[in-house]
Amino acid sequence: MKNKILKMFVLALFILGSLNLTSCSKGNDLSSNPESSDLLAQIQERGSIIIVMEGTWAPWTYHDENDQLVGYDVEVAQLIADKLGVEAEFVEGEWDGLLAGLDAGRYDIMVNGVEITDDRAEKYDFSKPYAYNRTAVITLINNNEIQAMSDLEGKQTANTISSTYADLAEAYGAEVTGVDDLNQTFELLLNGRIDATLNAEVTYYDYMKAHPDAQIKIAVLTKEASKTAIPMRKGDASASLLQAVNTALTDLEENGELTRLSEKYFGTDISKE
């Protein structure tokens, strides 16, 4: 009887050992599967693409009177998700944390009027441009001290820290006050606490459409337009996603959707250089 129990115990240990080996083997197969590190494959398996944006920057991403997330970037991102055959999962946050979240893998792409810069291009893979912007230096209407970019030296400006507008202002010698969103920026300007703010030309026109009595103006407008594109984590894992996003943007450009959305939200076509 004791021998029979012992044999059964040894057999049970053997079976458990075999199961562990099989489990380990399957785990190794999964980690060595090339698709496991392919971001597009992960998105398609998940059935959704996680898109991060501010949600406070009209007309790019903002909330309407019904508190619905809307805007040029929202609709562009939704159409890209449709092209990929997945759901668009929107996440909102303050600018300073968006790229950090992208780095950490919490988001798949960022669609938030992101301009391509040399520093960003070193760290992220960018899609083809889908919008072009000129930068406006916005001041109070009675401020005649700023008539060129060089006049920003020693002036007080405000923008979200790490934005290209903040970087540009600092490059011309301005002292930049960090803010959380566009509303805070215009509040500081209208209250006379800053001399100017830098932002997209179309953002100024959108603000004036909503606040026609605002005593502000475009004091300086850059001649060259910056390129707006979609950043994602750099590397082989994002290669197929980058290609798919570029294909989607090409389709949206060729079928006129980008032009339609541009005119809807900006009153002009910013999808062409």
Side-chain angles (χ1 to χ4, degrees):
M1 183 67 177
K2 288 182 179 179
N3 288 338
K4 185 175 181 181
I5 294 175
L6 181 61
K7 288 179 181 179
M8 291 177 65
F9 180 74
V10 171
L11 180 61
L13 288 177
F14 176 80
I15 292 172
L16 285 173
S18 299
L19 288 173
N20 285 335
L21 286 172
T22 301
S23 176
C24 291
S25 175
K26 287 182 179 178
N28 290 335
D29 287 342
L30 181 62
S31 63
S32 62
N33 184 351
E35 287 191 351
S36 67
S37 61
D38 184 277
L39 186 52
L40 179 60
Q42 294 175 16
I43 290 168
Q44 291 173 333
E45 183 177 357
R46 186 196 313 143
S48 65
I49 181 168
I50 304 173
I51 305 160
V52 68
M53 54 183 53
E54 285 179 285
T56 57
W57 186 29
W60 298 84
T61 71
Y62 65 103
H63 287 255
D64 64 14
E65 61 276 8
N66 298 316
D67 201 30
Q68 295 297 308
L69 182 63
V70 296
Y72 180 70
D73 276 338
V74 176
E75 293 208 39
V76 169
Q78 181 63 65
L79 290 172
I80 289 173
D82 292 344
K83 293 283 186 182
L84 299 184
V86 297
E87 295 292 325
E89 183 178 339
F90 293 106
V91 178
E92 300 174 52
E94 294 180 1
W95 169 269
D96 294 342
L98 304 189
L99 288 172
L102 197 65
D103 293 337
R106 292 195 294 273
Y107 320 123
D108 299 316
I109 58 175
M110 175 177 171
V111 188
N112 197 83
V114 184
E115 295 179 12
I116 302 174
T117 65
D118 291 340
D119 289 343
R120 288 175 183 166
E122 288 182 4
K123 190 171 184 180
Y124 304 98
D125 281 335
F126 275 90
S127 71
K128 61 180 294 184
Y130 68 97
Y132 299 85
N133 273 309
R134 289 190 298 174
T135 298
V137 179
I138 305 166
T139 68
L140 289 175
I141 203 164
N142 59 359
N143 183 340
N144 296 315
E145 295 182 2
I146 301 175
Q147 299 183 18
M149 297 297 289
S150 57
D151 293 333
L152 288 171
E153 185 171 1
K155 298 295 192 296
Q156 300 286 328
T157 66
N159 276 107
T160 49
I161 297 301
S162 79
S163 69
T164 53
Y165 302 117
D167 293 342
L168 185 59
E170 288 180 337
Y172 279 96
E175 183 177 338
V176 179
T177 296
V179 295
D180 293 331
D181 55 44
L182 185 66
N183 291 329
Q184 289 183 19
T185 303
F186 280 117
E187 183 179 343
L188 291 175
L189 180 62
L190 292 167
N191 289 335
R193 295 174 60 186
I194 57 173
D195 300 301
T197 182
L198 280 65
N199 217 296
E201 176 188 10
V202 290
T203 298
Y204 166 81
Y205 291 127
D206 183 75
Y207 184 84
M208 291 304 296
K209 184 170 63 177
H211 307 83
D213 297 328
Q215 298 297 296
I216 59 175
K217 67 179 180 181
I218 293 180
V220 184
L221 194 61
T222 58
K223 293 180 180 179
E224 294 186 1
S226 60
K227 298 177 180 179
T228 298
I230 298 171
M232 59 195 74
R233 291 183 294 283
K234 184 179 283 291
D236 293 340
S238 297
S240 58
L241 176 61
L242 178 63
Q243 183 178 358
V245 169
N246 281 336
T247 298
L249 288 173
T250 298
D251 290 345
L252 295 174
E253 180 182 8
E254 291 178 350
N255 67 19
E257 281 295 299
L258 289 183
T259 295
R260 181 185 67 81
L261 291 175
S262 293
E263 292 175 346
K264 173 182 177 179
Y265 285 102
F266 301 108
T268 187
D269 188 0
I270 68 167
S271 69
K272 296 180 176 62
E273 192 168 10

